[in-house]
Amino acid sequence: MDNEWITLQGFITYYKYQNEQSGYKIALFKMDDNLQERTITIVGYFPTFKKEDILIAKGVFIKHPKYGLQFQVHEIEKQLPSSESMIVRFLSSSQFKKVGKSTAKKIYDLLKEETLTILSQDENIYDQLLEKKIISPFQKESLIQGLKNTSGMDHGIQLLLKYGLSMKNIMKIESVYKDQIEMILKTNPYQIVMDIDGIGFKTIDKLSLNMGMNPLDKRRIKSAILYSVLMLCHKNGDTYVSLSAILKEMHQLIEIETSYLEECLQELMDEKWLICQENRYYHYTLYHAEENIASLLKPYIQRHLEVDFIDDFPSIIQEIEMENGIVYTQEQKESLKRTLQHGLFIITGGPGTGKTTILDALIKIYKKGYGENFDISLCAPTGRASKRMSQLTHTYACTIHRFLKWDLHSNTFSKNELDPVYTDILIVDEFSMVDTLLFDALLKGIKGVSQIILIGDDGQIPSVGAGNVLHDLLQIPQIAKLKLNKIFRQESGSMIIQLAHDIRYGHLTKDYPFHDDIRFYPITSYQAPHVILKLLSIALSQGYTLEDIQVIIPMYANVAGIDNINRHIQDFINPHDKNKPECISGHQVFRLNDKVLQLKNQPEEDIFNGDVGYIVEIDEENDSLVVDFDGHYVEYTRPFFSNLTLAYAMSVHKAQGSEFNIVFMCVFKEYGWMLNKKLIYTAVSRAKKSLIILGDEDAFMIKSNEEDNKIRHTTLTDCIKKRF
């Protein structure tokens, strides 16, 4: 690849665009090849250089459809200039105070092309320049200090470039370590894996080996072990792993003797990076998260609340019923009263069982009982879930990340045990999606809370991250809980909610009576794109919008996978038009009016993973686009295009926490182990008015009735039980 790169020398005259988070820049670059000077536009990930810095840039020329010819930077570093004009310009820059162009020219006339080398390496030259009265004592000190700053300023970055790290990752590292990069590389480059989100072991391992690190260096082996433990936990949803799993993973990752591996394991345990209990090996973050959750929850579990307005409860309920035109059942009234009296209360239930009714009633009861100033905080794991929570309760709700003020740069929460959020009551919806680390952060980030209420559906797929928190909490007899089974919300003639419950409780039969609002199309995976487009066309012709309709698919790859279906729907709904702007990011094409999904949290923009919006503007000249998230407009520049993907089809995990009028659900044998009962149940329960199932009927029936034998290995339940 290097052989294809072009090398340019010059300096940056102006930054047209800089993104501080990613390091992506667009700049004007004045080239100097000793023959002519011309200015070009350079783009890419690189540090912020001073105007006096002489740079060597390596990369390729690209032709942007709107901006024309640009130079895509792959590597860039400072270099001491060698031509007369560049040397004079350099020495007369602001980096060398009071030297000036005249003095710089005199120095060059004496020392010629070797000027900077001599000034940098021969201290005696300054006495000669003083004797000849070319420079003053002040100018001497200015030259010495200026050259010293130039040589050492970005040596760490140059090392990263030298050993093959991408400029994008270099910018991440530079934003964290600043001028400490070289020190980190010398002491332990694998520290980068621990400190910086998004830079994995394999990236730093390649760097370290290129730098000459011994493959059996303990720093490498230890980092590989920690990486393996976390990777296995994330992959399987576990909070700990077995020794045999570590050994197997490590032997696949690197060549190492078992005895030496076990020696490194022991050192990690001695250093408390790994915790071993009863042959269970924990990454320290997950071990402490489970222990912290147990400790922090204990007072809430034990707390019995004396409710000041309990005697007024019947009249408050009656008042709410009259105001909202609703009549609560006796069971609901008793459940509400019981909920008020516990420090920790969990409400579970499937779709249509009244979870939202209970939640809404609780908020109204608290407001009437304690007054409007009573502080109730509502949050959910995703943006769509929190928005839905707000709409249904008419009370502000936000994501957990926003509630705790997640900081993108440090990948930490600003609200924590040192600076907590003060609130009276915390209510968390869609709690099945909350993983161990997030719940730990949430509990550490609150103070003054008298009650925590957790609401979720334990029949749905568990969190993407490690742990099975809702399930584990439900195993604790001391925790007060309410399980809702009776179906209250069901459209007239609708069987969708009933189908969801029949799947959950194993009541699905081969002759299951699908009704008009549930259609099953037995097709092959290769037929899926065509059939989906046909059915989509019918739905749109009936007045439904793209916002009403959601295709839900278990996996990204495959002919009936998310990526392929998204491309087909996009070409059908929003085809290429030479008169309509579009932009390309990797294999992804974005067009005006495309339905898109946010893949990463961007707290500074108040946008979070799982949010869905529509592209309302594409500016080809500035290489940017604007997405409308329900009236909240967010601009994306090229470095952040990768945070978006098409949303005509999405995964079950991404759809979790949302509801849609029409759901197209794909079920094919090719999805393999990814297809399971909880996933099907979760997908089915996303549909409000119409559910269209496409695929293999046998696979649907078998997987819907097959109990999930995949158990997540966690110890949160044990951690809590041992405290009672």
Side-chain angles (χ1 to χ4, degrees):
M1 183 67 174
D2 287 15
N3 295 332
E4 302 172 9
W5 289 354
I6 299 167
T7 301
L8 305 177
Q9 178 177 292
F11 55 92
I12 290 172
T13 61
Y14 177 69
Y15 288 98
K16 297 172 69 175
Y17 171 79
Q18 298 189 71
N19 188 292
E20 294 182 3
Q21 292 175 5
S22 66
Y24 184 84
K25 297 178 179 68
I26 302 172
L28 296 180
F29 185 83
K30 195 168 189 177
M31 293 191 300
D32 177 51
D33 55 11
N34 288 324
L35 298 174
Q36 60 176 339
E37 289 189 354
R38 61 189 177 104
T39 300
I40 62 168
T41 298
I42 64 171
V43 299
Y45 299 89
F46 47 85
T48 301
F49 296 103
K50 296 178 180 177
K51 292 183 179 180
E52 57 263 27
D53 291 336
I54 308 303
L55 307 171
I56 296 293
K58 295 179 180 179
V60 293
F61 280 103
I62 57 174
K63 189 154 185 183
H64 192 280
K66 194 84 172 185
Y67 307 136
L69 197 65
Q70 296 180 333
F71 188 76
Q72 179 73 56
V73 174
H74 290 278
E75 293 182 2
I76 190 167
E77 60 182 339
K78 289 196 298 186
Q79 179 172 297
L80 293 177
S82 56
S83 69
E84 179 181 353
S85 63
M86 285 295 196
I87 290 174
V88 171
R89 179 183 178 277
F90 178 64
L91 291 179
S92 59
S93 69
S94 59
Q95 191 165 319
F96 302 92
K97 295 178 180 178
K98 295 188 177 181
V99 172
K101 187 175 284 186
S102 174
T103 301
K105 179 68 166 65
K106 290 176 183 176
I107 296 172
Y108 178 83
D109 289 341
L110 179 68
L111 305 177
K112 303 300 181 185
E113 289 84 0
E114 298 297 313
T115 295
L116 297 179
T117 302
I118 295 170
L119 289 174
S120 300
Q121 299 178 2
D122 185 1
E123 294 184 4
N124 295 324
I125 190 62
Y126 293 99
D127 294 331
Q128 296 180 38
L129 293 172
L130 286 168
E131 287 174 12
K132 294 178 182 292
K133 296 187 177 179
I134 294 175
I135 62 171
S136 67
F138 179 86
Q139 289 171 325
K140 171 187 173 181
E141 292 305 315
S142 178
L143 287 164
I144 292 171
Q145 191 59 46
L147 286 167
K148 187 182 292 184
N149 291 340
T150 298
S151 61
M153 192 185 316
D154 60 349
H155 192 231
I157 292 175
Q158 291 181 27
L159 281 173
L160 293 173
L161 281 168
K162 179 182 177 183
Y163 293 113
L165 214 67
S166 73
M167 193 59 75
K168 187 174 183 177
N169 281 335
I170 289 172
M171 292 300 93
K172 285 183 181 179
I173 294 169
E174 197 265 346
S175 68
V176 174
Y177 295 127
K178 308 299 182 187
D179 59 353
Q180 299 299 305
I181 295 175
E182 190 174 0
M183 184 270 290
I184 292 291
L185 292 177
K186 287 179 177 178
T187 53
N188 184 11
Y190 293 97
Q191 185 65 38
I192 297 170
V193 181
M194 302 296 296
D195 293 342
I196 302 175
D197 188 48
I199 301 181
F201 168 81
K202 291 184 179 180
T203 298
I204 299 303
D205 191 46
K206 184 180 178 182
L207 164 76
S208 301
L209 294 175
N210 285 341
M211 289 175 62
M213 178 173 282
N214 185 332
L216 294 179
D217 190 299
K218 283 189 175 180
R219 291 171 296 178
R220 180 181 187 238
I221 307 304
K222 289 179 181 179
S223 181
I225 293 171
L226 293 173
Y227 163 79
S228 297
V229 171
L230 275 181
M231 190 271 296
L232 287 167
C233 287
H234 185 79
K235 178 183 174 182
N236 300 316
D238 303 329
T239 58
Y240 67 89
V241 296
S242 65
L243 177 60
S244 60
I246 296 174
L247 295 176
K248 182 180 177 181
E249 188 65 30
M250 283 293 295
H251 286 306
Q252 291 178 348
L253 189 64
I254 57 180
E255 293 185 14
I256 186 172
E257 295 288 336
T258 300
S259 59
Y260 187 54
L261 175 56
E262 289 176 342
E263 182 183 331
C264 293
L265 266 169
Q266 186 58 54
E267 288 188 12
L268 282 170
M269 288 186 284
D270 294 340
E271 296 161 358
K272 307 301 183 185
W273 290 100
L274 276 184
I275 312 292
C276 180
Q277 288 194 348
E278 299 178 7
N279 296 317
R280 299 188 293 255
Y281 289 80
Y282 303 79
H283 190 277
Y284 77 100
T285 57
L286 290 168
Y287 175 83
H288 291 301
E290 288 192 327
E291 289 289 337
N292 286 338
I293 290 170
S295 294
L296 294 169
L297 275 187
K298 183 180 178 181
Y300 291 101
I301 298 171
Q302 294 177 317
R303 186 177 298 160
H304 183 274
L305 299 175
E306 298 294 334
V307 184
D308 296 343
F309 57 85
I310 200 69
D311 293 339
D312 300 325
F313 181 80
S315 60
I316 291 174
I317 285 290
Q318 190 176 18
E319 190 179 339
I320 295 171
E321 288 178 325
M322 291 179 64
E323 289 175 356
N324 295 275
I326 188 172
V327 178
Y328 298 110
T329 66
Q330 190 59 35
E331 184 183 21
Q332 286 176 320
K333 292 175 185 178
E334 289 173 3
S335 297
L336 285 165
K337 190 174 183 178
R338 189 161 71 89
T339 304
L340 297 172
Q341 298 172 328
H342 297 274
L344 176 65
F345 201 89
I346 302 177
I347 301 170
T348 62
T353 56
K355 295 192 298 295
T356 305
T357 301
I358 294 289
L359 169 60
D360 186 59
L362 280 170
I363 294 169
K364 289 180 168 63
I365 291 167
Y366 284 124
K367 292 293 185 182
K368 289 185 179 294
Y370 289 117
E372 287 296 324
N373 292 327
F374 191 70
D375 194 3
I376 304 174
S377 294
L378 308 183
C379 58
T382 68
R384 289 180 67 82
S386 64
K387 181 191 172 186
R388 185 164 161 263
M389 197 181 187
S390 294
Q391 291 170 335
L392 295 171
T393 63
H394 305 288
T395 306
Y396 173 75
C398 65
T399 64
I400 296 173
H401 280 78
R402 187 178 185 199
F403 180 70
L404 297 176
K405 297 188 184 313
W406 184 68
D407 186 275
L408 181 67
H409 301 284
S410 62
N411 193 32
T412 57
F413 293 105
S414 300
K415 292 297 178 181
N416 49 43
E417 57 266 56
L418 300 176
D419 183 20
V421 180
Y422 286 84
T423 188
D424 293 316
I425 289 181
L426 175 68
I427 303 176
V428 187
D429 199 11
E430 296 291 348
F431 190 70
S432 65
M433 301 171 67
V434 176
D435 62 43
T436 302
L437 292 175
L438 184 58
F439 193 43
D440 175 43
L442 181 59
L443 291 176
K444 289 191 290 191
I446 56 174
K447 197 163 184 177
V449 178
S450 59
Q451 185 180 37
I452 298 172
I453 299 172
L454 308 175
I455 304 170
D457 183 352
D458 58 318
Q460 292 190 28
I461 49 177
S463 60
V464 174
N468 200 0
V469 182
L470 177 58
H471 170 272
D472 291 351
L473 295 182
L474 291 173
Q475 312 310 307
I476 307 297
Q478 291 89 344
I479 295 178
K481 54 187 80 72
L482 169 66
K483 186 168 185 174
L484 302 170
N485 293 306
K486 185 179 178 181
I487 298 175
F488 288 95
R489 176 178 60 82
Q490 187 156 303
E491 302 291 334
S492 180
S494 173
M495 287 295 293
I496 296 172
I497 290 176
Q498 187 61 54
L499 172 63
H501 282 261
D502 288 338
I503 292 171
R504 178 175 181 177
Y505 296 108
H507 298 157
L508 203 64
T509 58
K510 198 164 181 70
D511 56 349
Y512 193 85
F514 291 127
H515 288 247
D516 288 345
D517 58 342
I518 306 173
R519 299 287 182 89
F520 202 113
Y521 292 87
I523 60 172
T524 67
S525 58
Y526 288 92
Q527 293 174 306
H530 171 73
V531 175
I532 288 173
L533 294 185
K534 188 175 179 179
L535 294 171
L536 182 62
S537 179
I538 294 171
L540 292 171
S541 70
Q542 293 174 344
Y544 290 103
T545 67
L546 289 176
E547 194 170 352
D548 293 320
I549 306 165
Q550 188 58 59
V551 181
I552 300 179
I553 300 174
M555 65 187 294
Y556 284 87
N558 197 283
V559 67
I562 295 168
D563 291 338
N564 190 47
I565 298 300
N566 263 327
R567 284 191 291 269
H568 275 83
I569 297 177
Q570 182 191 43
D571 289 340
F572 174 70
I573 296 285
N574 195 20
H576 171 73
D577 184 338
K578 65 180 181 181
N579 297 315
K580 188 163 67 175
E582 63 180 43
C583 52
I584 300 172
S585 176
H587 300 293
Q588 188 97 70
V589 179
F590 294 116
R591 296 172 185 147
L592 197 64
N593 302 321
D594 269 336
K595 182 180 180 181
V596 291
L597 173 74
Q598 181 72 15
L599 296 173
K600 292 184 179 180
N601 293 325
Q602 289 180 224
E604 73 286 353
E605 300 283 359
D606 198 24
I607 295 298
F608 296 90
N609 186 354
D611 287 349
V612 173
Y614 294 85
I615 298 175
V616 293
E617 183 182 321
I618 292 179
D619 188 336
E620 291 179 324
E621 184 174 344
N622 292 313
D623 212 15
S624 66
L625 56 85
V626 177
V627 180
D628 175 9
F629 293 97
D630 297 312
H632 179 49
Y633 296 88
V634 180
E635 183 179 5
Y636 292 77
T637 53
R638 176 157 293 281
F640 293 92
F641 286 177
S642 59
N643 288 0
L644 294 171
T645 189
L646 294 175
Y648 302 107
M650 67 173 65
S651 71
V652 182
H653 282 96
K654 294 296 185 187
Q656 197 174 5
S658 303
E659 288 185 333
F660 311 91
N661 284 329
I662 302 177
V663 166
F664 293 6
M665 177 189 173
C666 293
V667 181
F668 295 102
K669 288 183 289 187
E670 290 91 331
Y671 298 150
W673 63 269
M674 297 189 73
L675 197 63
N676 58 65
K677 181 175 181 172
K678 284 196 170 185
L679 184 137
I680 293 172
Y681 168 78
T682 305
V684 166
S685 57
R686 300 308 94 204
K688 291 167 65 177
K689 291 184 177 181
S690 180
L691 173 66
I692 298 168
I693 307 170
L694 306 106
D696 188 302
E697 195 166 4
D698 286 340
F700 178 77
M701 289 295 177
I702 292 169
K703 293 295 183 179
S704 294
N705 284 302
E706 190 176 83
E707 291 300 326
D708 188 7
N709 56 10
K710 188 177 181 302
I711 299 171
R712 291 196 169 191
H713 297 101
T714 66
T715 45
L716 178 59
T717 299
D718 293 339
C719 288
I720 297 174
K721 283 182 176 179
K722 72 182 182 184
R723 285 167 167 79
F724 288 91

